[in-house]
Amino acid sequence: MFKMIALFKKPEDITSFDEYYFGTHIPLTKKIPGLVDLKVTKFTGAPGGESKYYLMCEMYYESKESFKEASKTPESKASGKDVMKFAGNLVTFMFGEEVNG
């Protein structure tokens, strides 16, 4: 499985962030063709106390190739444009391939 990870720093207004993220952005993202699964984790702490990160979204695709194809779709472009609009200063993106450990 190939995945794109969006890691968000803690927003100033958590309530407004959550309302928009879960009410608008996630439904938009779930429309991306080829998206197999989407998992969201809210961080509750870190070994040193509070985490500087608030939330992580993992978006799963069958392969890197299927991710590349999905990225060309209007739905993917809309999701990307939307996240930059409301959280461009908070989000970092990473890509990864799951491996068996």
Side-chain angles (χ1 to χ4, degrees):
M1 282 287 213
F2 184 82
K3 64 181 168 178
M4 179 173 154
I5 301 163
L7 187 60
F8 294 86
K9 294 177 190 168
K10 191 172 183 180
E12 287 185 30
D13 185 344
I14 290 172
T15 302
S16 292
F17 179 92
D18 281 357
E19 286 174 1
Y20 189 88
Y21 186 75
F22 292 103
T24 301
H25 185 70
I26 290 294
L28 185 65
T29 300
K30 285 183 174 180
K31 293 179 181 178
I32 297 172
L35 182 68
V36 175
D37 196 9
L38 183 146
K39 296 180 182 179
V40 177
T41 301
K42 278 190 178 181
F43 298 111
T44 59
E50 190 174 328
S51 173
K52 70 177 182 176
Y53 295 102
Y54 175 63
L55 186 139
M56 175 177 66
C57 180
E58 297 171 285
M59 294 152 279
Y60 292 84
Y61 296 86
E62 286 294 331
S63 65
K64 187 174 185 178
E65 292 73 29
S66 63
F67 166 75
K68 285 181 179 180
E69 286 303 310
S71 296
K72 297 174 187 175
T73 66
E75 294 88 349
S76 179
K77 291 175 183 178
S79 175
K81 187 175 181 178
D82 185 61
V83 75
M84 296 313 290
K85 178 182 76 175
F86 84 92
N89 61 331
L90 300 174
V91 68
T92 299
F93 295 101
M94 293 169 272
F95 305 101
E97 191 81 39
E98 286 200 339
V99 295
N100 293 328

